[in-house]
Amino acid sequence: MTGVRESAKYIFENADDVSIDLDACQRAAASIYASMLEKSYSTETWSSHVLNPDSKEPATVDWIFVVDLLNFSFWSDVDDKDTGRSDTQRFTVSWLGQQWTGYWSLCAAINRALAEGIPITTPAFWIDKEKCSDDVIRHIFRSETAEQVPMLKERIACLREAGEALTTRFGGSFVGCIAEANESAVELVKLIVDNFPCFRDESEYKGRTVKIYKRAQILVSDIWACFNQQSYGKFTDIDEITMFADYRVPQILHSLGCLKYSDSLTSHVQSLQPIPHNDPREVELRGCSIWSVELIKEEIMKQHPGTKINAILIDFYLWDTAKEIQNEMGEKQEAIQCHRTRSVFY
Ligand SMILES: Nc1nc2c(c(CN[C@H]3C=C[C@H](O)[C@@H]3O)cn2[C@@H]2O[C@H](COP(=O)(O)O)[C@@H](O)[C@H]2O)c(=O)[nH]1
């Protein structure tokens, strides 16, 4: 296995500032299941997003790889109420006549670059410092507002590192990596974290190296969802993948009562204080999020034996729902703030 589930359990069992309310997880399981049923949540949902590609070809694998290579740290230093709106001057990409922020700003930037004839999904391009100079990448992520894309330097480094690995070891495309995994999602996660250090999302926690692997797991899951469990998306052990420990899903798990924060963590997060990467509180927020989704998943399987559900679909549903709430509530958002860690891992 990937070791993520075991790490999450260890973190949950040793956490000081985050705990899980088992009754709330049971209640949440019922409401999440009902809502997913009503929305007929499935892998089909993935391609329904206007910015996600729906063609099922190798170029789409390259698109998903570059998006999930750079799928980190979009929370804003200026949008203090986390409205997600570009009139707060938060980093915004203009595309298809719309202003995209957060995760969607990344997809919009990639699609805009492709439309401008920049081969930003091609790994060989990322290692050509003439054609793909730092300035070209800066242009790709140009903002409509005062705030620029967070961690641009780190994003450039990720492209260079991954371009090197894909062109020297996997025939120039992540398709080569998928082939080597022989339809095992667990093997593919291992291949990713072994060959691409910027995906190796691990922390030292109370004497142990704990594995979180957020971007490696969402990369495998986006391929699985986009290709509807066929072709490049065909995996025999996809249910071994856990929830992806980002900064958005802990927020909705807290709103559902599943996650409880200590008083000191609550006031730290609500006063928008940063939490350094690898701080025990950060590790506990991430590990307990993963574990609470495992508990919700088990509860759903208990309440509805044989139902086709896994941590990925529950995660996609929770993330999409958290974004809907953010869009609806704007300044009136009552949910707890997302925790503020700058990291290339999520
Ligand atoms: N756990 C989890 N984290 C996810 C996603 C996604 C996008 N996936 C969607 C795309 C197609 C499918 O339909 C999925 O719904 C992005 N993120 C993370 O969120 C953060 C960005 O948040 P904000 O700044 O508010 O936009 C950042 O850490 C990013 O890595 C997910 O699904 N699950």
mmCIF file of all heavy atoms in Angstrom, residues 43-77:
data_model
loop_
_atom_site.group_PDB
_atom_site.id
_atom_site.type_symbol
_atom_site.label_atom_id
_atom_site.label_comp_id
_atom_site.label_asym_id
_atom_site.label_seq_id
_atom_site.Cartn_x
_atom_site.Cartn_y
_atom_site.Cartn_z
ATOM 1 N N THR A 43 -17.404 9.495 -11.656
ATOM 2 C CA THR A 43 -16.210 9.982 -12.365
ATOM 3 C C THR A 43 -16.628 10.885 -13.535
ATOM 4 O O THR A 43 -15.865 11.735 -13.967
ATOM 5 C CB THR A 43 -15.391 8.791 -12.906
ATOM 6 O OG1 THR A 43 -16.273 7.922 -13.607
ATOM 7 C CG2 THR A 43 -14.711 8.038 -11.781
ATOM 8 N N GLU A 44 -17.880 10.726 -14.004
ATOM 9 C CA GLU A 44 -18.365 11.597 -15.112
ATOM 10 C C GLU A 44 -18.318 13.073 -14.690
ATOM 11 O O GLU A 44 -18.157 13.972 -15.515
ATOM 12 C CB GLU A 44 -19.830 11.246 -15.455
ATOM 13 C CG GLU A 44 -20.088 9.822 -15.898
ATOM 14 C CD GLU A 44 -19.647 9.583 -17.339
ATOM 15 O OE1 GLU A 44 -19.411 10.584 -18.053
ATOM 16 O OE2 GLU A 44 -19.488 8.424 -17.715
ATOM 17 N N THR A 45 -18.485 13.327 -13.368
ATOM 18 C CA THR A 45 -18.553 14.719 -12.894
ATOM 19 C C THR A 45 -17.283 15.479 -13.261
ATOM 20 O O THR A 45 -17.307 16.677 -13.525
ATOM 21 C CB THR A 45 -18.719 14.726 -11.350
ATOM 22 O OG1 THR A 45 -19.681 13.742 -10.982
ATOM 23 C CG2 THR A 45 -19.149 16.081 -10.836
ATOM 24 N N TRP A 46 -16.175 14.773 -13.306
ATOM 25 C CA TRP A 46 -14.876 15.426 -13.500
ATOM 26 C C TRP A 46 -14.875 16.236 -14.800
ATOM 27 O O TRP A 46 -14.547 17.416 -14.797
ATOM 28 C CB TRP A 46 -13.760 14.364 -13.547
ATOM 29 C CG TRP A 46 -12.383 14.937 -13.379
ATOM 30 C CD1 TRP A 46 -11.676 15.067 -12.216
ATOM 31 C CD2 TRP A 46 -11.549 15.477 -14.414
ATOM 32 N NE1 TRP A 46 -10.461 15.660 -12.461
ATOM 33 C CE2 TRP A 46 -10.350 15.916 -13.802
ATOM 34 C CE3 TRP A 46 -11.692 15.635 -15.792
ATOM 35 C CZ2 TRP A 46 -9.311 16.505 -14.517
ATOM 36 C CZ3 TRP A 46 -10.644 16.222 -16.505
ATOM 37 C CH2 TRP A 46 -9.476 16.642 -15.869
ATOM 38 N N SER A 47 -15.254 15.611 -15.896
ATOM 39 C CA SER A 47 -15.158 16.302 -17.200
ATOM 40 C C SER A 47 -16.220 17.385 -17.349
ATOM 41 O O SER A 47 -16.188 18.158 -18.291
ATOM 42 C CB SER A 47 -15.292 15.292 -18.346
ATOM 43 O OG SER A 47 -14.291 14.318 -18.198
ATOM 44 N N SER A 48 -17.167 17.438 -16.398
ATOM 45 C CA SER A 48 -18.256 18.428 -16.561
ATOM 46 C C SER A 48 -17.755 19.837 -16.235
ATOM 47 O O SER A 48 -18.417 20.817 -16.551
ATOM 48 C CB SER A 48 -19.411 18.073 -15.621
ATOM 49 O OG SER A 48 -18.968 18.236 -14.271
ATOM 50 N N HIS A 49 -16.595 19.948 -15.600
ATOM 51 C CA HIS A 49 -16.088 21.293 -15.276
ATOM 52 C C HIS A 49 -15.571 21.938 -16.556
ATOM 53 O O HIS A 49 -14.746 21.350 -17.266
ATOM 54 C CB HIS A 49 -14.978 21.198 -14.227
ATOM 55 C CG HIS A 49 -15.498 20.832 -12.874
ATOM 56 N ND1 HIS A 49 -15.950 21.787 -11.994
ATOM 57 C CD2 HIS A 49 -15.698 19.652 -12.285
ATOM 58 C CE1 HIS A 49 -16.392 21.181 -10.891
ATOM 59 N NE2 HIS A 49 -16.249 19.887 -11.048
ATOM 60 N N VAL A 50 -16.005 23.179 -16.821
ATOM 61 C CA VAL A 50 -15.714 23.848 -18.098
ATOM 62 C C VAL A 50 -14.209 23.924 -18.384
ATOM 63 O O VAL A 50 -13.795 23.917 -19.535
ATOM 64 C CB VAL A 50 -16.339 25.278 -18.118
ATOM 65 C CG1 VAL A 50 -15.705 26.170 -17.048
ATOM 66 C CG2 VAL A 50 -16.229 25.906 -19.486
ATOM 67 N N LEU A 51 -13.384 23.965 -17.349
ATOM 68 C CA LEU A 51 -11.943 24.115 -17.590
ATOM 69 C C LEU A 51 -11.230 22.774 -17.733
ATOM 70 O O LEU A 51 -10.071 22.725 -18.143
ATOM 71 C CB LEU A 51 -11.296 24.933 -16.460
ATOM 72 C CG LEU A 51 -11.728 26.399 -16.360
ATOM 73 C CD1 LEU A 51 -11.006 27.085 -15.210
ATOM 74 C CD2 LEU A 51 -11.453 27.157 -17.657
ATOM 75 N N ASN A 52 -11.920 21.689 -17.377
ATOM 76 C CA ASN A 52 -11.265 20.373 -17.483
ATOM 77 C C ASN A 52 -11.415 19.840 -18.901
ATOM 78 O O ASN A 52 -12.471 19.962 -19.501
ATOM 79 C CB ASN A 52 -11.915 19.380 -16.500
ATOM 80 C CG ASN A 52 -11.478 19.670 -15.061
ATOM 81 O OD1 ASN A 52 -10.478 20.351 -14.838
ATOM 82 N ND2 ASN A 52 -12.233 19.162 -14.101
ATOM 83 N N PRO A 53 -10.364 19.224 -19.450
ATOM 84 C CA PRO A 53 -10.467 18.674 -20.812
ATOM 85 C C PRO A 53 -11.407 17.469 -20.818
ATOM 86 O O PRO A 53 -11.534 16.777 -19.812
ATOM 87 C CB PRO A 53 -9.033 18.233 -21.116
ATOM 88 C CG PRO A 53 -8.414 17.987 -19.785
ATOM 89 C CD PRO A 53 -9.075 18.927 -18.837
ATOM 90 N N ASP A 54 -12.098 17.255 -21.949
ATOM 91 C CA ASP A 54 -12.938 16.045 -21.968
ATOM 92 C C ASP A 54 -12.507 15.083 -23.082
ATOM 93 O O ASP A 54 -13.082 14.030 -23.244
ATOM 94 C CB ASP A 54 -14.427 16.381 -22.078
ATOM 95 C CG ASP A 54 -14.702 17.301 -23.254
ATOM 96 O OD1 ASP A 54 -13.800 17.455 -24.089
ATOM 97 O OD2 ASP A 54 -15.804 17.870 -23.319
ATOM 98 N N SER A 55 -11.422 15.440 -23.845
ATOM 99 C CA SER A 55 -10.948 14.469 -24.857
ATOM 100 C C SER A 55 -10.151 13.396 -24.123
ATOM 101 O O SER A 55 -9.502 13.662 -23.106
ATOM 102 C CB SER A 55 -10.039 15.180 -25.872
ATOM 103 O OG SER A 55 -8.885 15.641 -25.189
ATOM 104 N N LYS A 56 -10.242 12.159 -24.636
ATOM 105 C CA LYS A 56 -9.597 11.030 -23.932
ATOM 106 C C LYS A 56 -8.368 10.590 -24.735
ATOM 107 O O LYS A 56 -8.393 9.592 -25.434
ATOM 108 C CB LYS A 56 -10.594 9.871 -23.780
ATOM 109 C CG LYS A 56 -11.970 10.264 -23.234
ATOM 110 C CD LYS A 56 -11.916 10.873 -21.846
ATOM 111 C CE LYS A 56 -13.337 11.262 -21.364
ATOM 112 N NZ LYS A 56 -13.298 12.293 -20.322
ATOM 113 N N GLU A 57 -7.305 11.374 -24.673
ATOM 114 C CA GLU A 57 -6.105 11.057 -25.475
ATOM 115 C C GLU A 57 -4.855 11.383 -24.660
ATOM 116 O O GLU A 57 -4.945 12.008 -23.604
ATOM 117 C CB GLU A 57 -6.147 11.913 -26.746
ATOM 118 C CG GLU A 57 -6.282 13.394 -26.391
ATOM 119 C CD GLU A 57 -6.457 14.288 -27.618
ATOM 120 O OE1 GLU A 57 -6.710 13.765 -28.701
ATOM 121 O OE2 GLU A 57 -6.292 15.500 -27.444
ATOM 122 N N PRO A 58 -3.657 10.992 -25.167
ATOM 123 C CA PRO A 58 -2.418 11.221 -24.407
ATOM 124 C C PRO A 58 -2.216 12.692 -24.027
ATOM 125 O O PRO A 58 -1.754 12.995 -22.936
ATOM 126 C CB PRO A 58 -1.339 10.742 -25.383
ATOM 127 C CG PRO A 58 -2.008 9.735 -26.238
ATOM 128 C CD PRO A 58 -3.419 10.201 -26.388
ATOM 129 N N ALA A 59 -2.637 13.619 -24.913
ATOM 130 C CA ALA A 59 -2.452 15.052 -24.599
ATOM 131 C C ALA A 59 -3.201 15.427 -23.320
ATOM 132 O O ALA A 59 -2.787 16.324 -22.575
ATOM 133 C CB ALA A 59 -2.944 15.903 -25.767
ATOM 134 N N THR A 60 -4.311 14.715 -23.069
ATOM 135 C CA THR A 60 -5.090 15.006 -21.846
ATOM 136 C C THR A 60 -4.336 14.518 -20.609
ATOM 137 O O THR A 60 -4.367 15.160 -19.559
ATOM 138 C CB THR A 60 -6.483 14.354 -21.955
ATOM 139 O OG1 THR A 60 -7.132 14.877 -23.113
ATOM 140 C CG2 THR A 60 -7.329 14.624 -20.720
ATOM 141 N N VAL A 61 -3.609 13.420 -20.748
ATOM 142 C CA VAL A 61 -2.765 12.951 -19.629
ATOM 143 C C VAL A 61 -1.714 14.021 -19.318
ATOM 144 O O VAL A 61 -1.486 14.374 -18.156
ATOM 145 C CB VAL A 61 -2.071 11.614 -19.981
ATOM 146 C CG1 VAL A 61 -1.027 11.246 -18.922
ATOM 147 C CG2 VAL A 61 -3.098 10.504 -20.154
ATOM 148 N N ASP A 62 -1.126 14.608 -20.390
ATOM 149 C CA ASP A 62 -0.102 15.648 -20.178
ATOM 150 C C ASP A 62 -0.708 16.876 -19.503
ATOM 151 O O ASP A 62 -0.073 17.510 -18.661
ATOM 152 C CB ASP A 62 0.526 16.049 -21.527
ATOM 153 C CG ASP A 62 1.395 14.935 -22.123
ATOM 154 O OD1 ASP A 62 1.875 14.070 -21.326
ATOM 155 O OD2 ASP A 62 1.566 14.898 -23.340
ATOM 156 N N TRP A 63 -1.949 17.195 -19.892
ATOM 157 C CA TRP A 63 -2.635 18.350 -19.283
ATOM 158 C C TRP A 63 -2.830 18.101 -17.788
ATOM 159 O O TRP A 63 -2.499 18.938 -16.957
ATOM 160 C CB TRP A 63 -4.008 18.576 -19.953
ATOM 161 C CG TRP A 63 -4.743 19.821 -19.526
ATOM 162 C CD1 TRP A 63 -4.725 21.043 -20.131
ATOM 163 C CD2 TRP A 63 -5.593 19.973 -18.367
ATOM 164 N NE1 TRP A 63 -5.505 21.940 -19.435
ATOM 165 C CE2 TRP A 63 -6.062 21.309 -18.353
ATOM 166 C CE3 TRP A 63 -6.013 19.099 -17.339
ATOM 167 C CZ2 TRP A 63 -6.916 21.807 -17.367
ATOM 168 C CZ3 TRP A 63 -6.875 19.584 -16.349
ATOM 169 C CH2 TRP A 63 -7.310 20.917 -16.377
ATOM 170 N N ILE A 64 -3.326 16.930 -17.433
ATOM 171 C CA ILE A 64 -3.580 16.602 -16.021
ATOM 172 C C ILE A 64 -2.266 16.585 -15.248
ATOM 173 O O ILE A 64 -2.190 17.102 -14.123
ATOM 174 C CB ILE A 64 -4.305 15.245 -15.896
ATOM 175 C CG1 ILE A 64 -5.721 15.350 -16.468
ATOM 176 C CG2 ILE A 64 -4.335 14.775 -14.447
ATOM 177 C CD1 ILE A 64 -6.445 14.013 -16.586
ATOM 178 N N PHE A 65 -1.200 16.080 -15.871
ATOM 179 C CA PHE A 65 0.079 16.022 -15.139
ATOM 180 C C PHE A 65 0.558 17.436 -14.785
ATOM 181 O O PHE A 65 0.894 17.709 -13.631
ATOM 182 C CB PHE A 65 1.171 15.300 -15.945
ATOM 183 C CG PHE A 65 2.471 15.217 -15.161
ATOM 184 C CD1 PHE A 65 2.694 14.177 -14.271
ATOM 185 C CD2 PHE A 65 3.433 16.220 -15.272
ATOM 186 C CE1 PHE A 65 3.865 14.126 -13.512
ATOM 187 C CE2 PHE A 65 4.597 16.177 -14.504
ATOM 188 C CZ PHE A 65 4.816 15.129 -13.636
ATOM 189 N N VAL A 66 0.565 18.342 -15.784
ATOM 190 C CA VAL A 66 1.114 19.679 -15.481
ATOM 191 C C VAL A 66 0.222 20.416 -14.484
ATOM 192 O O VAL A 66 0.707 21.136 -13.607
ATOM 193 C CB VAL A 66 1.339 20.518 -16.767
ATOM 194 C CG1 VAL A 66 0.047 21.050 -17.354
ATOM 195 C CG2 VAL A 66 2.329 21.649 -16.496
ATOM 196 N N VAL A 67 -1.094 20.194 -14.557
ATOM 197 C CA VAL A 67 -1.989 20.852 -13.585
ATOM 198 C C VAL A 67 -1.713 20.308 -12.186
ATOM 199 O O VAL A 67 -1.507 21.073 -11.239
ATOM 200 C CB VAL A 67 -3.469 20.665 -13.987
ATOM 201 C CG1 VAL A 67 -4.402 20.994 -12.822
ATOM 202 C CG2 VAL A 67 -3.801 21.552 -15.189
ATOM 203 N N ASP A 68 -1.615 19.026 -12.025
ATOM 204 C CA ASP A 68 -1.396 18.487 -10.684
ATOM 205 C C ASP A 68 0.047 18.621 -10.220
ATOM 206 O O ASP A 68 0.334 18.567 -9.024
ATOM 207 C CB ASP A 68 -1.890 17.039 -10.598
ATOM 208 C CG ASP A 68 -3.416 17.000 -10.484
ATOM 209 O OD1 ASP A 68 -3.985 17.937 -9.879
ATOM 210 O OD2 ASP A 68 -4.039 16.054 -11.003
ATOM 211 N N LEU A 69 0.976 18.867 -11.138
ATOM 212 C CA LEU A 69 2.361 19.205 -10.764
ATOM 213 C C LEU A 69 2.379 20.567 -10.058
ATOM 214 O O LEU A 69 3.164 20.802 -9.140
ATOM 215 C CB LEU A 69 3.222 19.267 -12.030
ATOM 216 C CG LEU A 69 4.672 19.748 -11.887
ATOM 217 C CD1 LEU A 69 5.520 18.725 -11.140
ATOM 218 C CD2 LEU A 69 5.276 20.041 -13.269
ATOM 219 N N LEU A 70 1.480 21.465 -10.495
ATOM 220 C CA LEU A 70 1.472 22.845 -9.988
ATOM 221 C C LEU A 70 0.255 23.130 -9.112
ATOM 222 O O LEU A 70 -0.043 24.276 -8.796
ATOM 223 C CB LEU A 70 1.509 23.816 -11.183
ATOM 224 C CG LEU A 70 2.706 23.636 -12.133
ATOM 225 C CD1 LEU A 70 2.571 24.552 -13.336
ATOM 226 C CD2 LEU A 70 4.036 23.883 -11.418
ATOM 227 N N ASN A 71 -0.447 22.077 -8.725
ATOM 228 C CA ASN A 71 -1.714 22.207 -8.000
ATOM 229 C C ASN A 71 -1.481 22.445 -6.511
ATOM 230 O O ASN A 71 -1.764 21.587 -5.657
ATOM 231 C CB ASN A 71 -2.540 20.922 -8.235
ATOM 232 C CG ASN A 71 -3.917 21.008 -7.647
ATOM 233 O OD1 ASN A 71 -4.290 22.030 -7.049
ATOM 234 N ND2 ASN A 71 -4.686 19.933 -7.799
ATOM 235 N N PHE A 72 -0.935 23.636 -6.184
ATOM 236 C CA PHE A 72 -0.671 23.918 -4.766
ATOM 237 C C PHE A 72 -0.754 25.405 -4.450
ATOM 238 O O PHE A 72 -0.522 26.251 -5.301
ATOM 239 C CB PHE A 72 0.709 23.372 -4.344
ATOM 240 C CG PHE A 72 1.881 23.855 -5.166
ATOM 241 C CD1 PHE A 72 2.509 25.075 -4.900
ATOM 242 C CD2 PHE A 72 2.383 23.067 -6.206
ATOM 243 C CE1 PHE A 72 3.598 25.508 -5.649
ATOM 244 C CE2 PHE A 72 3.484 23.490 -6.967
ATOM 245 C CZ PHE A 72 4.093 24.716 -6.688
ATOM 246 N N SER A 73 -1.089 25.704 -3.219
ATOM 247 C CA SER A 73 -0.936 27.008 -2.590
ATOM 248 C C SER A 73 -1.554 28.182 -3.352
ATOM 249 O O SER A 73 -0.860 29.093 -3.794
ATOM 250 C CB SER A 73 0.555 27.296 -2.382
ATOM 251 O OG SER A 73 0.705 28.073 -1.201
ATOM 252 N N PHE A 74 -2.882 28.165 -3.474
ATOM 253 C CA PHE A 74 -3.566 29.283 -4.142
ATOM 254 C C PHE A 74 -4.250 30.202 -3.145
ATOM 255 O O PHE A 74 -4.901 31.164 -3.536
ATOM 256 C CB PHE A 74 -4.589 28.741 -5.162
ATOM 257 C CG PHE A 74 -3.921 28.012 -6.281
ATOM 258 C CD1 PHE A 74 -3.938 26.634 -6.350
ATOM 259 C CD2 PHE A 74 -3.210 28.707 -7.253
ATOM 260 C CE1 PHE A 74 -3.285 25.950 -7.369
ATOM 261 C CE2 PHE A 74 -2.554 28.037 -8.278
ATOM 262 C CZ PHE A 74 -2.588 26.660 -8.329
ATOM 263 N N TRP A 75 -4.107 29.928 -1.838
ATOM 264 C CA TRP A 75 -4.796 30.817 -0.884
ATOM 265 C C TRP A 75 -4.117 32.193 -0.947
ATOM 266 O O TRP A 75 -2.921 32.327 -1.236
ATOM 267 C CB TRP A 75 -4.814 30.214 0.524
ATOM 268 C CG TRP A 75 -3.496 29.877 1.147
ATOM 269 C CD1 TRP A 75 -2.871 28.665 1.135
ATOM 270 C CD2 TRP A 75 -2.648 30.763 1.891
ATOM 271 N NE1 TRP A 75 -1.679 28.741 1.810
ATOM 272 C CE2 TRP A 75 -1.514 30.018 2.298
ATOM 273 C CE3 TRP A 75 -2.720 32.120 2.260
ATOM 274 C CZ2 TRP A 75 -0.479 30.571 3.053
ATOM 275 C CZ3 TRP A 75 -1.691 32.676 3.000
ATOM 276 C CH2 TRP A 75 -0.592 31.912 3.383
ATOM 277 N N SER A 76 -4.927 33.233 -0.677
ATOM 278 C CA SER A 76 -4.488 34.606 -0.966
ATOM 279 C C SER A 76 -4.016 35.334 0.277
ATOM 280 O O SER A 76 -4.581 35.178 1.361
ATOM 281 C CB SER A 76 -5.665 35.392 -1.570
ATOM 282 O OG SER A 76 -5.382 36.788 -1.539
ATOM 283 N N ASP A 77 -2.976 36.161 0.089
ATOM 284 C CA ASP A 77 -2.506 37.020 1.196
ATOM 285 C C ASP A 77 -3.313 38.305 1.313
ATOM 286 O O ASP A 77 -3.094 39.094 2.234
ATOM 287 C CB ASP A 77 -1.021 37.383 0.947
ATOM 288 C CG ASP A 77 -0.096 36.235 1.343
ATOM 289 O OD1 ASP A 77 -0.253 35.726 2.482
ATOM 290 O OD2 ASP A 77 0.728 35.815 0.525
#
